[in-house]
Structures are given as structure tokens and as C-alpha cells.
Coordinates of all heavy atoms in Angstrom, one line a residue:
M287 N 76.1 41.1 51.4 CA 77.2 42.0 51.8 C 78.0 41.3 52.9 O 77.5 40.7 53.8 CB 76.5 43.3 52.5 CG 77.5 44.3 52.9 SD 76.6 45.9 53.0 CE 77.6 46.8 51.8
P288 N 79.4 41.4 52.7 CA 80.3 40.7 53.6 C 80.3 41.3 55.0 O 80.0 42.5 55.2 CB 81.6 40.8 53.0 CG 81.5 42.0 52.0 CD 80.1 42.1 51.6
Q289 N 80.5 40.4 56.0 CA 80.5 40.9 57.4 C 81.9 40.8 57.9 O 82.7 40.0 57.5 CB 79.6 40.0 58.2 CG 78.2 40.1 57.9 CD 77.3 39.4 58.9 OE1 77.8 38.8 59.9 NE2 76.0 39.4 58.7
E290 N 82.3 41.8 58.7 CA 83.6 41.9 59.3 C 83.4 42.1 60.8 O 82.4 42.7 61.2 CB 84.4 43.0 58.8 CG 84.9 42.9 57.4 CD 85.8 44.0 57.0 OE1 86.8 44.2 57.7 OE2 85.6 44.5 55.9
I291 N 84.3 41.6 61.6 CA 84.2 41.8 63.0 C 85.2 42.9 63.4 O 86.4 42.8 63.0 CB 84.6 40.5 63.8 CG1 83.5 39.4 63.5 CG2 84.7 40.8 65.3 CD1 83.8 38.1 64.2
I292 N 84.7 43.9 64.0 CA 85.5 45.0 64.5 C 85.3 45.1 66.0 O 84.2 44.8 66.5 CB 85.2 46.4 63.9 CG1 83.8 46.8 64.1 CG2 85.6 46.3 62.4 CD1 83.5 48.2 63.6
R293 N 86.3 45.5 66.7 CA 86.3 45.5 68.2 C 86.3 47.0 68.6 O 87.3 47.7 68.2 CB 87.4 44.8 68.8 CG 87.4 43.3 68.3 CD 87.6 42.4 69.4 NE 87.7 41.0 68.9 CZ 86.7 40.2 68.8 NH1 85.5 40.6 69.2 NH2 86.9 39.0 68.4
L294 N 85.3 47.5 69.3 CA 85.3 48.8 69.7 C 85.1 48.9 71.3 O 84.6 47.9 71.9 CB 84.1 49.6 69.1 CG 84.2 49.7 67.5 CD1 82.9 50.2 67.0 CD2 85.4 50.6 67.2
H295 N 85.4 50.0 71.9 CA 85.2 50.2 73.3 C 83.7 50.0 73.6 O 82.8 50.4 72.9 CB 85.7 51.6 73.7 CG 85.8 51.8 75.1 ND1 84.8 52.0 76.0 CD2 86.9 51.7 75.9 CE1 85.2 52.1 77.2 NE2 86.5 52.0 77.2
H296 N 83.4 49.3 74.8 CA 82.1 49.0 75.1 C 81.2 50.3 75.4 O 80.0 50.3 75.3 CB 82.0 48.1 76.4 CG 82.5 48.8 77.6 ND1 81.8 49.5 78.4 CD2 83.8 48.8 78.1 CE1 82.5 50.0 79.4 NE2 83.7 49.6 79.3
A297 N 81.9 51.4 75.7 CA 81.1 52.7 75.9 C 81.0 53.5 74.7 O 80.5 54.6 74.8 CB 81.8 53.4 77.1
A298 N 81.5 53.0 73.6 CA 81.4 53.8 72.3 C 80.0 54.1 72.0 O 79.1 53.2 72.1 CB 82.1 53.1 71.2
P299 N 79.7 55.3 71.5 CA 78.3 55.6 71.1 C 77.9 54.8 69.9 O 78.8 54.3 69.1 CB 78.3 57.1 70.7 CG 79.8 57.4 70.5 CD 80.6 56.4 71.3
A300 N 76.6 54.6 69.7 CA 76.1 53.9 68.6 C 76.4 54.7 67.3 O 76.4 55.9 67.3 CB 74.6 53.7 68.7
K301 N 76.6 54.0 66.2 CA 76.9 54.6 64.9 C 75.7 55.4 64.5 O 74.6 55.0 64.5 CB 77.3 53.6 63.9 CG 77.7 54.2 62.5 CD 77.7 53.1 61.4 CE 77.7 53.8 60.1 NZ 76.6 54.6 59.8
P302 N 76.0 56.7 64.1 CA 74.9 57.5 63.6 C 74.5 57.1 62.2 O 75.3 56.4 61.5 CB 75.5 58.9 63.6 CG 77.0 58.7 63.4 CD 77.3 57.4 64.1
A303 N 73.4 57.5 61.7 CA 73.0 57.2 60.3 C 73.9 58.0 59.4 O 74.4 59.0 59.7 CB 71.5 57.7 60.1
E304 N 74.0 57.4 58.2 CA 74.9 58.1 57.2 C 74.3 59.5 57.0 O 73.1 59.7 56.8 CB 74.8 57.3 55.9 CG 76.0 57.5 55.0 CD 76.1 56.5 53.9 OE1 75.3 55.5 53.9 OE2 76.9 56.7 53.0
G305 N 75.2 60.5 57.0 CA 74.9 61.9 56.8 C 74.7 62.7 58.1 O 74.7 63.9 58.1
E306 N 74.4 61.9 59.2 CA 74.3 62.6 60.5 C 75.6 63.0 61.0 O 76.6 62.5 60.6 CB 73.6 61.6 61.5 CG 72.2 61.3 61.1 CD 71.2 62.5 61.2 OE1 71.3 63.2 62.2 OE2 70.4 62.7 60.3
P307 N 75.7 64.0 62.0 CA 76.9 64.4 62.5 C 77.7 63.2 63.1 O 77.1 62.3 63.7 CB 76.5 65.4 63.6 CG 75.2 65.9 63.2 CD 74.5 64.7 62.5
C308 N 79.0 63.3 63.0 CA 79.9 62.3 63.7 C 79.8 62.4 65.2 O 79.7 63.5 65.7 CB 81.3 62.5 63.2 SG 82.5 61.4 64.1
N309 N 79.7 61.2 65.8 CA 79.6 61.2 67.3 C 80.8 60.4 67.9 O 80.8 60.2 69.1 CB 78.3 60.6 67.7 CG 78.1 59.1 67.4 OD1 79.0 58.5 66.8 ND2 77.0 58.5 67.7
G310 N 81.8 60.1 67.1 CA 82.9 59.4 67.6 C 82.8 57.9 67.9 O 83.4 57.4 68.7
C311 N 81.9 57.3 67.1 CA 81.6 55.9 67.3 C 82.8 55.0 67.0 O 83.0 53.9 67.5 CB 80.4 55.4 66.6 SG 80.6 55.3 64.8
G312 N 83.6 55.4 66.0 CA 84.8 54.7 65.6 C 84.6 53.6 64.6 O 85.6 53.0 64.1
V313 N 83.4 53.4 64.1 CA 83.2 52.3 63.2 C 84.0 52.5 61.9 O 84.6 51.6 61.4 CB 81.7 52.1 62.9 CG1 81.4 51.2 61.7 CG2 80.9 51.7 64.1
C314 N 83.9 53.7 61.3 CA 84.6 53.9 60.0 C 86.1 53.7 60.1 O 86.6 53.0 59.2 CB 84.3 55.4 59.5 SG 84.7 56.7 60.6
C315 N 86.7 54.2 61.1 CA 88.2 54.1 61.3 C 88.6 52.7 61.7 O 89.7 52.3 61.5 CB 88.7 55.1 62.3 SG 88.3 56.8 61.8
A316 N 87.7 51.9 62.3 CA 88.0 50.6 62.7 C 87.9 49.7 61.4 O 88.6 48.6 61.4 CB 87.0 50.1 63.7
L317 N 87.1 50.1 60.4 CA 87.0 49.3 59.2 C 88.1 49.6 58.2 O 88.6 48.7 57.5 CB 85.6 49.5 58.6 CG 84.5 48.9 59.2 CD1 83.2 49.4 58.6 CD2 84.6 47.4 59.1
E318 N 88.4 50.9 58.0 CA 89.4 51.2 57.0 C 90.0 52.5 57.3 O 89.6 53.3 58.2 CB 88.8 51.3 55.6 CG 87.7 52.3 55.4 CD 87.0 52.2 54.1 OE1 86.8 51.1 53.6 OE2 86.8 53.3 53.5
T319 N 91.1 52.8 56.6 CA 91.8 54.1 56.9 C 91.4 55.2 55.9 O 91.0 54.8 54.8 CB 93.3 53.9 56.8 OG1 93.7 53.3 55.6 CG2 93.8 53.0 58.0
C320 N 91.5 56.4 56.3 CA 91.1 57.5 55.4 C 92.3 57.8 54.5 O 93.4 57.2 54.7 CB 90.8 58.8 56.3 SG 92.2 59.4 57.1
P321 N 92.2 58.7 53.5 CA 93.3 59.0 52.6 C 94.5 59.4 53.4 O 95.6 59.0 53.0 CB 92.7 60.1 51.7 CG 91.2 59.8 51.7 CD 90.9 59.3 53.1
A322 N 94.4 60.3 54.4 CA 95.6 60.7 55.1 C 96.3 59.6 55.8 O 97.5 59.5 55.8 CB 95.2 61.8 56.1
A323 N 95.5 58.7 56.5 CA 96.1 57.6 57.2 C 96.7 56.6 56.2 O 97.7 55.9 56.5 CB 95.1 56.9 58.1
R324 N 96.1 56.5 55.0 CA 96.7 55.5 54.1 C 98.1 56.0 53.7 O 99.0 55.2 53.5 CB 95.8 55.4 52.8 CG 94.6 54.7 53.1 CD 93.7 54.6 51.9 NE 92.4 54.0 52.3 CZ 91.4 53.9 51.5 NH1 91.4 54.4 50.3 NH2 90.3 53.3 51.9
L325 N 98.3 57.3 53.5 CA 99.6 57.8 53.2 C 100.6 57.6 54.4 O 101.7 57.2 54.2 CB 99.5 59.3 52.8 CG 99.1 59.5 51.4 CD1 99.0 61.1 51.2 CD2 100.0 58.9 50.3
R326 N 100.1 58.0 55.5 CA 101.0 57.9 56.7 C 101.3 56.5 57.1 O 102.5 56.2 57.4 CB 100.3 58.7 57.9 CG 101.0 58.5 59.2 CD 102.4 58.9 59.2 NE 103.1 58.6 60.4 CZ 103.8 57.5 60.7 NH1 103.9 56.5 59.8 NH2 104.4 57.3 61.8
F327 N 100.3 55.6 57.2 CA 100.6 54.3 57.8 C 100.7 53.2 56.7 O 101.0 52.1 57.0 CB 99.4 53.9 58.7 CG 99.3 54.9 59.8 CD1 98.1 55.7 59.9 CD2 100.3 55.1 60.8 CE1 98.0 56.6 60.9 CE2 100.1 56.0 61.8 CZ 99.0 56.7 61.9
R328 N 100.5 53.6 55.4 CA 100.6 52.6 54.3 C 99.7 51.4 54.5 O 100.2 50.2 54.3 CB 102.0 52.3 54.1 CG 102.9 53.5 53.8 CD 104.3 53.0 53.3 NE 105.2 54.2 53.3 CZ 105.2 55.1 52.3 NH1 104.4 55.0 51.3 NH2 106.1 56.0 52.3
K329 N 98.5 51.6 54.9 CA 97.6 50.5 55.0 C 96.2 50.9 54.7 O 95.8 52.1 55.0 CB 97.6 49.8 56.4 CG 97.2 50.6 57.6 CD 97.3 49.9 58.9 CE 96.1 49.2 59.3 NZ 96.1 48.5 60.6
K330 N 95.4 50.1 54.1 CA 94.1 50.4 53.6 C 93.0 49.9 54.6 O 92.0 50.6 54.8 CB 93.8 49.8 52.2 CG 92.5 50.3 51.6 CD 92.4 49.8 50.1 CE 91.2 50.3 49.5 NZ 91.1 50.0 48.1
K331 N 93.2 48.7 55.1 CA 92.2 48.2 56.0 C 92.5 48.7 57.4 O 93.6 49.0 57.8 CB 92.3 46.6 56.0 CG 92.0 46.0 54.7 CD 90.6 46.1 54.2 CE 89.8 45.1 55.1 NZ 88.4 45.2 54.8
G332 N 91.4 48.7 58.2 CA 91.5 49.2 59.6 C 91.9 48.1 60.5 O 92.1 46.9 60.0
P333 N 92.0 48.3 61.7 CA 91.7 49.6 62.3 C 92.9 50.6 62.1 O 94.0 50.2 62.0 CB 91.6 49.3 63.8 CG 92.4 48.1 64.0 CD 92.3 47.3 62.8
C334 N 92.5 51.9 62.0 CA 93.5 52.9 61.8 C 94.4 53.0 63.1 O 93.9 53.1 64.2 CB 92.8 54.2 61.5 SG 94.0 55.6 61.3
P335 N 95.7 53.1 62.9 CA 96.6 53.2 64.1 C 96.4 54.6 64.8 O 96.8 54.7 66.0 CB 98.0 53.2 63.4 CG 97.8 52.4 62.2 CD 96.5 52.8 61.7
A336 N 95.8 55.6 64.2 CA 95.6 56.8 64.8 C 94.2 56.9 65.5 O 93.9 58.0 66.1 CB 95.7 58.0 63.8
L337 N 93.4 55.9 65.5 CA 92.1 55.9 66.1 C 92.4 55.8 67.6 O 93.0 54.9 68.1 CB 91.3 54.7 65.7 CG 89.9 54.5 66.3 CD1 89.0 55.7 66.0 CD2 89.3 53.2 65.8
S338 N 91.9 56.8 68.4 CA 92.2 56.8 69.8 C 91.0 57.1 70.6 O 90.1 57.8 70.3 CB 93.3 57.9 70.1 OG 92.8 59.2 69.7
W339 N 90.9 56.3 71.7 CA 89.7 56.4 72.6 C 89.9 57.5 73.6 O 91.0 57.6 74.2 CB 89.5 55.0 73.3 CG 88.4 55.1 74.3 CD1 88.6 55.1 75.7 CD2 87.0 55.1 74.0 NE1 87.3 55.1 76.2 CE2 86.4 55.2 75.3 CE3 86.3 55.2 72.9 CZ2 85.0 55.2 75.4 CZ3 84.9 55.2 72.9 CH2 84.3 55.3 74.2
S340 N 88.9 58.3 73.9 CA 88.9 59.3 74.9 C 88.0 58.9 76.0 O 86.8 58.9 75.9 CB 88.4 60.7 74.3 OG 88.3 61.6 75.3
T341 N 88.6 58.5 77.1 CA 87.9 58.1 78.3 C 87.0 59.2 78.8 O 85.8 59.0 79.2 CB 88.8 57.6 79.4 OG1 89.6 56.5 78.9 CG2 88.0 57.1 80.6
G342 N 87.5 60.4 78.9 CA 86.7 61.5 79.4 C 85.5 61.9 78.6 O 84.5 62.2 79.1
A343 N 85.6 61.7 77.3 CA 84.5 62.1 76.4 C 83.7 60.9 76.0 O 82.7 61.0 75.3 CB 85.1 62.8 75.1
N344 N 84.2 59.6 76.3 CA 83.5 58.4 75.9 C 83.2 58.4 74.4 O 82.1 58.2 73.9 CB 82.2 58.2 76.7 CG 82.4 57.5 78.0 OD1 83.5 57.1 78.3 ND2 81.4 57.5 78.8
R345 N 84.3 58.6 73.6 CA 84.2 58.6 72.2 C 85.6 58.4 71.6 O 86.6 58.6 72.3 CB 83.5 59.9 71.6 CG 84.3 61.1 72.0 CD 83.9 62.3 71.2 NE 84.3 62.2 69.8 CZ 83.8 62.8 68.8 NH1 82.7 63.6 68.9 NH2 84.2 62.6 67.6
Y346 N 85.6 58.1 70.3 CA 86.9 58.0 69.6 C 87.2 59.3 69.0 O 86.3 60.1 68.6 CB 86.8 56.9 68.5 CG 86.8 55.5 69.0 CD1 85.7 54.8 69.3 CD2 88.1 54.9 69.3 CE1 85.8 53.5 69.8 CE2 88.2 53.6 69.8 CZ 87.0 52.9 70.0 OH 87.1 51.6 70.5
H347 N 88.5 59.6 68.8 CA 89.0 60.7 68.1 C 90.0 60.3 67.1 O 90.7 59.2 67.3 CB 89.6 61.7 69.1 CG 88.7 62.4 70.0 ND1 87.9 63.5 69.6 CD2 88.4 62.2 71.3 CE1 87.2 63.8 70.6 NE2 87.4 63.1 71.7
C348 N 90.3 61.1 66.1 CA 91.3 60.9 65.1 C 92.6 61.5 65.7 O 92.7 62.7 65.8 CB 91.0 61.5 63.8 SG 92.4 61.4 62.6
G349 N 93.6 60.7 66.0 CA 94.9 61.2 66.5 C 95.6 62.0 65.5 O 96.4 62.9 65.9
L350 N 95.4 61.8 64.2 CA 96.0 62.7 63.2 C 95.5 64.1 63.3 O 96.2 65.1 63.0 CB 95.8 62.2 61.8 CG 96.6 60.9 61.3 CD1 96.1 60.4 60.0 CD2 98.0 61.2 61.3
L351 N 94.3 64.3 63.8 CA 93.7 65.6 63.9 C 94.0 66.2 65.3 O 94.2 67.4 65.4 CB 92.2 65.6 63.7 CG 91.7 65.1 62.3 CD1 90.2 65.1 62.2 CD2 92.3 65.9 61.2
T352 N 93.9 65.4 66.4 CA 94.0 65.9 67.7 C 95.5 66.0 68.2 O 95.8 66.8 69.0 CB 93.2 65.0 68.7 OG1 93.8 63.7 68.7 CG2 91.8 65.0 68.4
A353 N 96.4 65.2 67.6 CA 97.8 65.2 68.0 C 98.6 64.8 66.8 O 99.3 63.8 66.8 CB 98.0 64.2 69.2
P354 N 98.6 65.6 65.8 CA 99.4 65.3 64.5 C 100.9 65.0 64.8 O 101.5 64.2 64.1 CB 99.1 66.4 63.6 CG 98.6 67.5 64.4 CD 98.0 66.9 65.6
G355 N 101.5 65.7 65.7 CA 102.9 65.6 66.0 C 103.2 64.2 66.5 O 104.4 63.7 66.3
N356 N 102.3 63.5 67.1 CA 102.5 62.1 67.6 C 102.7 61.1 66.4 O 103.2 60.1 66.6 CB 101.4 61.6 68.5 CG 101.3 62.3 69.8 OD1 102.2 63.1 70.1 ND2 100.3 62.1 70.5
Y357 N 102.1 61.5 65.3 CA 102.1 60.6 64.1 C 103.0 61.1 63.0 O 103.3 60.3 62.1 CB 100.7 60.3 63.6 CG 99.8 59.7 64.7 CD1 99.0 60.5 65.5 CD2 99.8 58.4 64.9 CE1 98.3 60.0 66.6 CE2 99.1 57.8 66.0 CZ 98.3 58.6 66.8 OH 97.6 58.0 67.8
L358 N 103.2 62.4 63.0 CA 104.1 63.0 62.0 C 105.3 63.6 62.7 O 105.3 64.8 63.0 CB 103.3 64.1 61.2 CG 102.0 63.7 60.6 CD1 101.2 64.9 60.1 CD2 102.2 62.7 59.5
G359 N 106.3 62.7 63.0 CA 107.4 63.1 63.9 C 108.2 64.3 63.3 O 108.8 65.0 64.1
W360 N 108.2 64.5 62.1 CA 108.9 65.6 61.5 C 108.2 66.9 61.6 O 108.8 68.0 61.3 CB 109.2 65.3 60.0 CG 107.9 64.9 59.3 CD1 107.4 63.6 59.1 CD2 106.9 65.8 58.7 NE1 106.2 63.6 58.4 CE2 105.9 65.0 58.2 CE3 106.8 67.1 58.6 CZ2 104.7 65.5 57.5 CZ3 105.7 67.7 58.0 CH2 104.7 66.8 57.4
L361 N 107.0 66.9 62.0 CA 106.2 68.2 62.1 C 106.5 69.0 63.2 O 106.5 68.6 64.4 CB 104.7 67.8 62.2 CG 103.7 68.9 62.1 CD1 103.6 69.5 60.7 CD2 102.3 68.4 62.4
P362 N 106.9 70.3 63.0 CA 107.2 71.2 64.1 C 106.0 71.4 65.0 O 104.9 71.5 64.4 CB 107.7 72.5 63.5 CG 108.0 72.1 62.0 CD 107.2 70.9 61.7
R363 N 106.1 71.6 66.3 CA 105.0 71.8 67.2 C 104.2 73.0 66.7 O 103.0 73.0 66.8 CB 105.5 71.9 68.6 CG 104.3 72.0 69.6 CD 104.7 71.9 71.0 NE 104.8 70.7 71.6 CZ 104.0 69.6 71.7 NH1 102.9 69.7 71.0 NH2 104.2 68.6 72.3
A364 N 104.8 74.0 66.3 CA 104.1 75.2 65.9 C 103.2 75.0 64.7 O 102.3 75.8 64.5 CB 105.1 76.4 65.6
A365 N 103.5 74.0 63.9 CA 102.7 73.7 62.7 C 101.5 72.8 63.0 O 100.7 72.5 62.1 CB 103.6 73.1 61.6
E366 N 101.4 72.2 64.2 CA 100.4 71.3 64.5 C 98.9 71.8 64.3 O 98.1 71.1 63.7 CB 100.5 70.7 65.9 CG 101.7 69.7 66.0 CD 101.8 69.0 67.3 OE1 100.8 69.0 68.1 OE2 102.8 68.5 67.6
P367 N 98.6 73.0 64.7 CA 97.3 73.5 64.5 C 96.9 73.6 63.0 O 95.8 73.3 62.6 CB 97.3 74.9 65.1 CG 98.3 74.8 66.2 CD 99.4 73.9 65.6
L368 N 97.9 74.1 62.2 CA 97.7 74.2 60.7 C 97.5 72.8 60.1 O 96.6 72.6 59.3 CB 98.8 74.9 60.1 CG 98.7 75.0 58.5 CD1 97.5 75.7 58.1 CD2 100.0 75.6 58.0
A369 N 98.3 71.9 60.6 CA 98.2 70.5 60.1 C 96.9 69.9 60.4 O 96.3 69.2 59.6 CB 99.4 69.6 60.6
S370 N 96.4 70.1 61.6 CA 95.1 69.6 62.0 C 94.0 70.1 61.1 O 93.1 69.4 60.7 CB 94.8 70.0 63.5 OG 95.6 69.3 64.4
R371 N 94.0 71.4 60.9 CA 93.0 72.1 60.0 C 93.0 71.5 58.6 O 92.0 71.2 58.0 CB 93.1 73.6 60.0 CG 92.7 74.2 61.3 CD 92.5 75.7 61.2 NE 93.7 76.4 60.7 CZ 94.7 76.8 61.5 NH1 94.7 76.6 62.8 NH2 95.7 77.5 60.9
L372 N 94.3 71.4 58.1 CA 94.4 70.9 56.7 C 94.0 69.4 56.6 O 93.3 69.0 55.6 CB 95.8 71.0 56.2 CG 96.3 72.5 56.0 CD1 97.8 72.5 55.6 CD2 95.5 73.1 54.9
L373 N 94.4 68.6 57.5 CA 94.0 67.2 57.5 C 92.4 67.1 57.7 O 91.8 66.2 57.0 CB 94.7 66.4 58.6 CG 96.2 66.1 58.4 CD1 96.9 65.7 59.6 CD2 96.3 65.1 57.3
A374 N 91.8 67.9 58.6 CA 90.4 67.8 58.8 C 89.7 68.2 57.5 O 88.7 67.5 57.1 CB 90.0 68.8 59.9
R375 N 90.2 69.1 56.8 CA 89.5 69.5 55.5 C 89.7 68.4 54.5 O 88.8 68.1 53.7 CB 90.2 70.8 55.0 CG 89.5 71.3 53.7 CD 90.0 72.6 53.3 NE 89.4 73.0 52.1 CZ 89.7 74.1 51.5 NH1 90.6 74.9 51.9 NH2 89.0 74.4 50.3
W376 N 90.9 67.8 54.4 CA 91.2 66.7 53.5 C 90.3 65.5 53.7 O 89.8 64.9 52.7 CB 92.6 66.4 53.5 CG 93.1 65.4 52.5 CD1 92.5 65.2 51.3 CD2 94.2 64.5 52.5 NE1 93.2 64.2 50.6 CE2 94.2 63.8 51.3 CE3 95.2 64.3 53.5 CZ2 95.2 62.9 51.0 CZ3 96.2 63.4 53.2 CH2 96.2 62.7 51.9
I377 N 90.0 65.2 54.9 CA 89.2 64.0 55.1 C 87.7 64.3 55.4 O 87.0 63.5 55.8 CB 89.8 63.1 56.3 CG1 89.8 63.8 57.6 CG2 91.2 62.6 55.9 CD1 90.1 62.9 58.8
A378 N 87.4 65.6 55.3 CA 86.0 66.1 55.5 C 85.5 65.8 56.9 O 84.3 65.5 57.1 CB 85.1 65.5 54.4
A379 N 86.4 65.9 57.9 CA 86.0 65.8 59.3 C 85.0 66.8 59.6 O 85.1 68.0 59.2 CB 87.2 65.9 60.2
G380 N 84.0 66.4 60.3 CA 82.9 67.3 60.7 C 81.8 67.5 59.7 O 80.9 68.3 59.9
K381 N 81.9 66.9 58.6 CA 80.9 67.0 57.5 C 79.8 66.0 57.6 O 78.9 66.0 56.8 CB 81.6 66.9 56.1 CG 82.6 68.0 55.9 CD 82.0 69.4 56.0 CE 83.1 70.4 55.8 NZ 82.7 71.8 56.1
G382 N 79.8 65.1 58.5 CA 78.8 64.1 58.7 C 79.3 62.7 58.4 O 80.3 62.5 57.8
C383 N 78.6 61.7 58.9 CA 79.0 60.3 58.8 C 78.9 59.9 57.3 O 77.9 60.1 56.7 CB 78.1 59.4 59.6 SG 78.4 57.7 59.5
D384 N 80.0 59.3 56.8 CA 80.0 58.9 55.4 C 80.3 57.3 55.4 O 80.6 56.8 54.4 CB 81.1 59.6 54.6 CG 82.5 59.4 55.0 OD1 82.7 58.7 56.1 OD2 83.4 59.8 54.4
C385 N 80.0 56.7 56.5 CA 80.2 55.2 56.6 C 78.9 54.5 56.4 O 78.0 54.7 57.1 CB 80.8 54.9 58.0 SG 81.1 53.1 58.2
S386 N 78.9 53.7 55.4 CA 77.6 53.0 55.1 C 77.5 51.6 55.8 O 76.5 51.0 55.7 CB 77.5 52.7 53.6 OG 78.6 52.0 53.1
A387 N 78.5 51.3 56.6 CA 78.5 50.0 57.3 C 77.4 50.1 58.4 O 77.1 51.1 59.0 CB 79.8 49.7 58.0
E388 N 76.7 49.0 58.6 CA 75.7 48.9 59.6 C 76.1 47.8 60.7 O 76.0 46.7 60.4 CB 74.3 48.5 59.0 CG 73.7 49.6 58.1 CD 73.4 50.8 58.9 OE1 73.1 50.8 60.1 OE2 73.6 51.9 58.3
P389 N 76.5 48.3 61.9 CA 76.9 47.4 62.9 C 75.7 46.5 63.4 O 74.6 47.0 63.4 CB 77.3 48.3 64.0 CG 77.6 49.6 63.4 CD 76.7 49.7 62.2
L390 N 76.0 45.3 63.7 CA 75.0 44.3 64.1 C 74.9 44.3 65.7 O 73.9 43.8 66.2 CB 75.3 42.9 63.6 CG 75.3 42.8 62.1 CD1 75.7 41.4 61.7 CD2 74.0 43.1 61.5
G391 N 75.9 44.8 66.3 CA 75.9 44.7 67.8 C 76.9 43.8 68.3 O 77.7 43.2 67.6
P392 N 76.9 43.6 69.7 CA 77.9 42.7 70.3 C 77.8 41.3 69.8 O 76.7 40.8 69.5 CB 77.6 42.9 71.8 CG 76.7 44.0 72.0 CD 76.0 44.2 70.6
A393 N 78.9 40.6 69.8 CA 78.9 39.2 69.4 C 78.3 38.4 70.5 O 78.4 38.7 71.7 CB 80.4 38.8 69.2
A394 N 77.6 37.4 70.1 CA 76.9 36.6 71.1 C 77.8 35.6 71.8 O 78.8 35.3 71.3 CB 75.8 35.8 70.4

């Protein structure tokens, strides 16, 4: 299996096992973009431009879900909650980790 180097915040939580609840580790979005991000940013490989670090929560969040207006400039502010719900459903946010990558840990 090929190895890739991804850079994540030092305080990011460890990647959960596949199928476990998402904890905001950022591994999946650092490796590749989801279908929504592929349409918006026109790139398949990560890191996703919408991957954002939350210092207060010590985890990564999807900017397309937490602040869709920042990435979809044409979106009226009143439509942001609906856009967040639709995007979350489209990418199955909250349904569990679907990333099969296994991080090796910090580089030596």
C-alpha cells in the first residue's frame, strides 16, 4: 500500500477506527476531497481547502458545513443552515469514519 505524508495539527485527535464516530482528526480530508469539495474546488487530492482547525475544540471541522457562505460566495446568508444540512447529508457527515488510511505517526 502506498504511503503519503500529510501534515496535521499536533493536537489533532488520533484517527478513529473505520466505522467509529468522527472525532475531527482530519486524516480523510487531508488525503482527499469529498464529492462536495471536488465540485467546489475542482481537486481530488487533499488537503481539502475547506479543512479548518478549531483551536477551542482541538479538532478539525469541515468549512463547507460550518461556514458554507465562506466557500460558496453566491449563497445567501439565510440559506446557510439549509446548505449545511444538505451538504452534511450528501457527504454522510456524522455517519462514522469511512477512511481506511492508517496513520503511522509523526515523522522521525
Side-chain angles (χ1 to χ4, degrees):
M287 183 159 242
Q289 292 186 4
E290 289 187 50
I291 294 175
I292 59 173
R293 306 225 184 267
L294 298 171
H295 195 280
H296 66 87
K301 184 193 166 300
E304 206 170 347
E306 294 293 315
C308 175
N309 66 1
C311 73
V313 171
C314 57
C315 300
L317 284 172
E318 60 185 44
T319 55
C320 69
R324 286 179 188 171
L325 282 176
R326 169 55 187 94
F327 303 114
R328 301 190 191 281
K329 66 183 266 186
K330 187 174 183 174
K331 299 289 288 172
C334 178
L337 181 61
S338 59
W339 176 253
S340 171
T341 303
N344 276 351
R345 63 167 286 156
Y346 284 97
H347 291 281
C348 172
L350 287 172
L351 301 182
T352 60
N356 291 351
Y357 300 94
L358 305 171
W360 50 266
L361 185 69
R363 185 170 276 308
E366 287 187 19
L368 176 61
S370 290
R371 286 193 306 274
L372 291 173
L373 286 165
R375 183 173 179 185
W376 187 22
I377 66 172
K381 300 298 181 191
C383 179
D384 65 356
C385 180
S386 60
E388 288 301 325
L390 299 176

